[in-house]
Amino acid sequence: MTENQVSKESGDEMFGPFLFARGGDSTKIRLAALIVAPDGAEIQELRAMDGDPVSPQRLAALFGRTYWRFDFELPASADAQYSFGSETYAVCADMGSDLHIGFVSCNGQEEGDLDRPVEERNALWADLAEQHKKRPFALLLHGGDQIYADGVWHCHPEIEAWLDARRRQRLATAFSDEMRDAVLKFYLDHYLTIYNQPQIAHMLARVPSLMMWDDHDIFDGWGSHKKWFQGSAVAKGMFACARDAFCLMQLCAAPAADVDLLGVVDPKQQDAVERKTGLANKSEHDPLPDMILDRAGRSFAWRVDYPGMTLIAPDLRSERTPDVIMGDTGWRDLVPALETIPDGNRILLMSTVPVIGPRLSLVEFFLYMLPKPQKYEDDLRDQWQSRWHRREWCKMLELLERIANDHDHEITVLSGEIHVATRGTFETKGKTIHQLVASGISHTAPPQAFARGLGLLAWIGDNPLPNRPTRLKPLPDRKGVYCAARNYLTLSRNDKKWGAKWHLEGIGWTPDLTI
């Protein structure tokens, strides 16, 4: 099965439940469960703790399927459970002193992702499930590239032709209704194909997820391509479709179709778009979840609070351009979100691209000297450490330093994206901020030479703020700074003490790292 040959059931199958976290306190946690069913199908009952049936809310009806959300609460206990139909799902809802959290990223690969045997592709997902049996996870954090949607370029002949056309023709091409249908259907089918794989579906039904997208959830390098490319009608239309699918499949929310996406959708054509995509009758669904900081939906940054812990994820894709990572909305919302976190809470900040990284300006300099743009130029420009983003990178580091010291928070940054495992530290004037990178859970590991090359750049170092060094370091008991093996990360809180360890495919567990 190739990337553009995803699920062919076209509405004949029921998908889910897929469980999403919404925050909680010492007495209860709030959850949402997504069910995707054929249009007109009878939906089974969902009950929390054998209580009354929960009424579902219709989010969208698209391509023969209806997307339903169940909002409910569970008591904050280790033996909480809910049922859907005849099956009961245990949920570790105890958010007290001891806590176990999983972190994954890069759930796919650019080429041949669905051609791999599912047991091999999802070997680490199966291992994650075994760990869940031993010590249940209270949360599962997804740090970007939950799907690899690069096959979207082959979902329709007009899209393929556009990709092969010259620049002038691309700019003159409109994003047709046929293109829109093909692209949106591709994204939704791809999500369902991936989520429905047994090793993944098992975890998504039992562990509440928090997700933030990155470029492959749209297509490779979104936001770091040339401005004319990103500003074309077809590229903007494809992003709008990816955005709708992200809302449904990663936020468990109705697409925010009434937002003018910085010109992506012409307000005069909005009604026609909603009718075409099945998103009309907006009054029947709620706005974005309360966790989303920007209520207009231009940026999907979110914050979720639990006792003693706040999770926050800036959106590094919705407003991205070759010169900007977060955009005005993202910065407007992130600062007060960090400044108002409850006293004493540990902050887990998900940055889909690592905040602490190697010195990339040297590589970019040599690429810039070559006569033609190179294959990995957009990948380098994706990073905070790119010379194009250095000022914004410093702004982020200064913000984290201020929040850690002036507000007395311990901060841990979680990242993926680079297909290797590593860690780093940012030595502020008061506290040490740890960064933990786990990538990817199903993406094939890069060659060892790639890891060694990154390690050389890390050895050269890069300290953007005077006297506050950022350093990349080997994982516990490892020699190289970067480990080229598939991996995932676990975080544990035991009696207010936090630790982390990586599971490295073919190598095993690292020792605990105190953070």
Side-chain angles (χ1 to χ4, degrees):
M1 181 185 291
T2 60
E3 279 80 356
N4 58 314
Q5 294 176 324
V6 292
S7 176
K8 295 298 184 182
E9 286 80 3
S10 299
D12 296 334
E13 186 175 356
M14 186 90 67
F15 298 87
F18 308 126
L19 202 59
F20 296 85
R22 295 292 198 244
D25 55 32
S26 60
T27 64
K28 64 181 180 300
I29 64 169
R30 298 181 297 278
L31 300 166
L34 177 66
I35 297 293
V36 184
D39 286 347
E42 182 178 353
I43 307 301
Q44 301 179 78
E45 290 181 343
L46 187 147
R47 298 173 183 265
M49 302 296 290
D50 297 320
D52 294 334
V54 178
S55 298
Q57 185 170 9
R58 177 182 177 273
L59 299 179
L62 296 159
F63 312 112
R65 298 187 180 112
T66 303
Y67 295 73
W68 299 96
R69 185 181 71 212
F70 294 80
D71 295 306
F72 62 101
E73 297 178 348
L74 289 177
S77 64
D79 58 354
Q81 49 86 15
Y82 75 99
S83 62
F84 181 69
S86 60
E87 187 161 358
T88 298
Y89 302 90
V91 178
C92 179
D94 183 5
M95 309 300 289
S97 60
D98 291 351
L99 196 62
H100 199 208
I101 298 172
F103 176 83
V104 302
S105 73
C106 300
N107 182 30
Q109 63 186 30
E110 293 85 345
E111 297 179 1
D113 183 29
L114 300 178
D115 294 330
R116 297 179 287 173
V118 67
E119 294 78 9
E120 186 278 329
R121 183 197 187 278
N122 295 331
L124 289 188
W125 280 100
D127 188 86
L128 194 67
E130 288 300 314
Q131 299 305 314
H132 179 62
K133 289 181 183 178
K134 296 175 183 178
R135 184 183 178 185
F137 293 104
L139 292 171
L140 185 57
L141 312 180
H142 305 249
D145 298 337
Q146 278 63 266
I147 62 170
Y148 274 64
D150 305 280
V152 70
W153 294 110
H154 308 291
C155 73
H156 192 275
E158 290 183 29
I159 299 291
E160 289 185 303
W162 185 88
L163 189 62
D164 293 334
R166 293 183 179 275
R167 174 174 171 176
R168 180 177 296 179
Q169 184 176 347
R170 290 190 193 183
L171 291 173
T173 301
F175 191 59
S176 67
D177 289 344
E178 291 77 15
M179 289 182 180
R180 179 178 293 107
D181 283 352
V183 170
L184 182 56
K185 186 177 188 303
F186 173 88
Y187 283 124
L188 294 172
D189 285 353
H190 202 84
Y191 273 112
L192 292 172
T193 298
I194 297 300
Y195 285 15
N196 203 45
Q197 291 179 341
Q199 300 87 350
I200 299 175
H202 177 88
M203 293 298 290
L204 295 186
R206 291 164 175 83
V207 185
S209 289
L210 287 168
M211 302 181 177
M212 179 50 70
W213 64 350
D214 203 32
D215 60 330
H216 289 285
D217 299 295
I218 308 163
F219 54 74
D220 187 19
W222 169 261
S224 295
H225 294 289
K226 300 295 184 182
K227 289 184 178 180
W228 70 263
F229 177 94
Q230 188 165 321
S232 66
V234 170
K236 290 197 296 184
M238 293 174 72
F239 170 74
C241 292
R243 179 181 181 274
D244 286 348
F246 168 77
C247 285
L248 285 167
M249 301 304 301
Q250 295 199 41
L251 297 180
C252 193
D258 55 340
V259 176
D260 177 16
L261 301 174
L262 304 180
V264 171
V265 179
D266 182 350
K268 295 180 180 179
Q269 299 176 351
Q270 192 64 51
D271 290 342
V273 171
E274 289 172 357
R275 288 194 299 272
K276 186 67 177 178
T277 59
L279 301 175
N281 302 317
K282 290 176 291 183
S283 61
E284 75 177 75
H285 60 249
D286 291 336
L288 292 167
D290 291 343
M291 59 191 273
I292 303 298
L293 303 180
D294 175 36
R295 306 313 301 163
R298 294 179 186 274
S299 169
F300 291 118
W302 50 254
R303 171 183 145 181
V304 176
D305 293 309
Y306 291 100
M309 173 183 65
T310 293
L311 302 103
I312 192 163
D315 180 352
L316 307 186
R317 290 296 163 181
S318 287
E319 298 181 281
R320 181 184 281 263
T321 72
D323 303 318
V324 172
I325 290 181
M326 282 216 307
D328 292 341
T329 302
W331 281 108
R332 180 202 69 193
D333 294 337
L334 179 63
V335 174
L338 286 169
E339 290 177 336
T340 56
I341 288 173
D343 293 344
N345 270 22
R346 160 83 58 158
I347 298 174
L348 300 182
L349 185 141
M350 284 209 307
S351 173
T352 51
V353 293
V355 174
I356 300 170
R359 189 171 183 175
L360 299 177
S361 56
L362 294 175
V363 180
E364 290 183 307
F365 174 78
F366 287 118
L367 284 177
Y368 186 75
M369 297 298 291
L370 297 176
K372 294 183 179 180
Q374 301 301 301
K375 178 180 179 181
Y376 299 109
E377 191 173 15
D378 63 296
D379 294 310
L380 293 171
R381 201 153 182 164
D382 266 358
Q383 308 301 314
W384 285 103
Q385 295 77 34
S386 168
R387 64 195 182 101
W388 300 101
H389 303 312
R390 192 172 186 87
R391 187 172 298 176
E392 193 174 5
W393 180 32
C394 291
K395 183 179 179 181
M396 173 61 81
L397 292 173
E398 289 169 342
L399 173 62
L400 295 181
E401 178 181 43
R402 180 169 64 82
I403 296 300
N405 293 307
D406 294 357
H407 295 261
D408 195 23
H409 288 295
E410 301 296 332
I411 299 177
T412 304
V413 180
L414 306 173
S415 297
E417 206 268 343
I418 55 177
H419 307 153
V420 290
T422 188
R423 70 184 183 98
T425 57
F426 172 32
E427 301 293 346
T428 74
K429 292 181 178 180
K431 293 177 178 289
T432 297
I433 294 175
H434 290 270
Q435 175 181 272
L436 314 177
V437 178
S439 174
I441 191 167
S442 68
H443 194 286
T444 49
Q448 292 293 335
F450 174 81
R452 287 193 293 268
L454 284 179
L456 176 61
L457 292 173
W459 176 78
I460 295 171
D462 197 356
N463 299 323
L465 301 181
N467 303 316
R468 288 104 87 198
T470 62
R471 294 191 177 99
L472 289 161
K473 301 179 178 181
L475 304 184
D477 278 3
R478 302 293 300 173
K479 292 183 178 180
V481 170
Y482 293 92
C483 182
R486 295 199 300 186
N487 61 90
Y488 64 85
L489 174 74
T490 64
L491 301 165
S492 298
R493 183 180 66 192
N494 300 303
D495 193 24
K496 298 184 179 180
K497 296 180 180 179
W498 283 82
K501 59 181 181 179
W502 287 257
H503 184 268
L504 308 170
E505 187 176 33
I507 299 172
W509 285 99
T510 66
D512 284 337
L513 172 71
T514 299
I515 55 173

